[in-house]
Amino acid sequence: MNYFGQYNGYEIASGAKALHDVPQICIDIGQLTRASVAVERYPRDAREEEMDIARQRISVASLTFENNRLKVEQALQGIACSVFDRYDLPRSGGIDIGSGATGAMVHQFLKPLIDRSTWSEIDVNPQAVAENKRRHPNAKVFAGSYLHLDQTRELPAQTNIVTGLSSLDATQFVPQALGEIRKKLQIGGFLLHIQDVRPGLGTPIRELQHMGVASPFRAYALRSNANIEEPLVYQTPEGLLSVGELFRRNLGRLIEQQHGLRLLVSDWFLALRRAPDPSQGGSAYYMNVHLRGIPDPIDEVSVVVTLAQRVA
């Protein structure tokens, strides 16, 4: 375990096993159902993907996750700040990719640390850009894609840090995104990505295929109000693996394969505190699933943190 200190009343650590196995708890209490997941149709190229994301309603994108995120905002802020402090990451002039409608990375989780007036935010969805601007009228928010960073003319030519909150999970073209980020970073600059919600379906499937698992894939899934199955864990030769763990492995592996980037961190981070009212039990936040009333009176938040540095 790697201890990062105390932030906002939470103890922050990486490399430790979670106290609460949220997927297993969800299975035990009947919140997950067995599902068979086939390979979906992927976009033919980056342009098609960008057009698909640009047409998404923001109510089914970042706004959907906001309700549970707000319940653990202090913990998520603590994790982000602990990484900035430990690795002495740049505090000004950054670019946030896939900022979504809420701009949560810049305006919530990094707010105590960075000079937000110098930070740029981009998103390919015009509705998300408009909502972020409405909430933060003084922010520098632009329409743009991390698959074509050079085409957003308002961005600086280069930067010393690129950040992303649950954004690189949305693309089927991660190597292209990493190549664009590498070009935008100065030598020695950093990419910090935090994944706190369930990734897009393609990411875990790509990693399952890399492991030699064939379609259809066996999973346990949440069922949304729209009766859409959202896998939380998949059956693998290693046993059950969560979509977050499959995302962690996929992004870390692709960074290691990307020329000019060095992987510094690819790990689960935990934020832990004693529950304010132990008589009500504890809680656990995991990939935007928030469970309350857990007998152990500990509040726990789990996220995947990935940090890379441009070295060439």
Side-chain angles (χ1 to χ4, degrees), residues 35-145:
S36 179
V37 181
V39 176
E40 62 175 12
R41 185 190 73 82
Y42 295 134
R44 290 167 295 182
D45 53 34
R47 289 299 185 192
E48 181 179 334
E49 179 180 271
E50 288 168 341
M51 288 189 292
D52 289 343
I53 296 175
R55 286 192 294 262
Q56 289 179 0
R57 290 181 295 113
I58 58 175
S59 60
V60 297
S62 54
L63 292 183
T64 303
F65 297 120
E66 185 175 33
N67 185 47
N68 279 342
R69 268 183 178 159
L70 289 175
K71 297 173 184 175
V72 295
E73 180 177 0
Q74 292 300 302
L76 293 173
Q77 185 184 87
I79 290 172
C81 291
S82 73
V83 177
F84 259 70
D85 284 347
R86 173 64 61 89
Y87 294 96
D88 193 23
L89 299 183
R91 312 291 173 103
S92 63
I95 298 172
D96 191 63
I97 56 172
S99 299
T102 64
M105 183 66 127
V106 170
H107 301 287
Q108 291 171 259
F109 306 141
L110 297 182
K111 182 178 178 180
L113 288 180
I114 67 172
D115 181 354
R116 289 182 291 158
S117 68
T118 68
W119 224 265
S120 301
E121 303 169 71
I122 66 166
D123 200 281
V124 75
N125 186 306
Q127 294 179 58
V129 172
E131 176 62 14
N132 194 352
K133 285 183 175 179
R134 186 191 68 80
R135 294 185 181 204
H136 312 106
N138 296 321
K140 296 190 292 184
V141 186
F142 309 113
S145 167

Side-chain angles (χ1 to χ4, degrees), residues 245-263:
E245 174 60 17
L246 291 167
F247 170 84
R248 184 193 70 80
R249 296 184 185 190
N250 186 259
L251 181 57
R253 178 169 59 81
L254 294 177
I255 288 174
E256 289 180 323
Q257 294 174 0
Q258 180 70 42
H259 169 71
L261 289 181
R262 180 175 64 190
L263 184 65

Side-chain angles (χ1 to χ4, degrees), residues 230-295:
E230 297 184 49
L232 187 61
V233 289
Y234 284 90
Q235 184 65 54
T236 78
E238 300 178 30
L240 293 178
L241 288 179
S242 78
V243 292
E245 174 60 17
L246 291 167
F247 170 84
R248 184 193 70 80
R249 296 184 185 190
N250 186 259
L251 181 57
R253 178 169 59 81
L254 294 177
I255 288 174
E256 289 180 323
Q257 294 174 0
Q258 180 70 42
H259 169 71
L261 289 181
R262 180 175 64 190
L263 184 65
L264 302 178
V265 177
S266 174
D267 213 341
W268 285 93
F269 274 59
L270 303 179
L272 299 167
R273 71 175 182 183
R274 184 165 178 80
D277 184 357
S279 67
Q280 299 298 313
S283 67
Y285 177 94
Y286 184 93
M287 297 290 106
N288 207 243
V289 174
H290 189 248
L291 301 179
R292 293 184 180 274
I294 295 174

Side-chain angles (χ1 to χ4, degrees), residues 287-308:
M287 297 290 106
N288 207 243
V289 174
H290 189 248
L291 301 179
R292 293 184 180 274
I294 295 174
D296 185 3
I298 299 293
D299 291 334
E300 178 180 41
V301 173
S302 304
V303 304
V304 173
V305 173
T306 306
L307 180 66

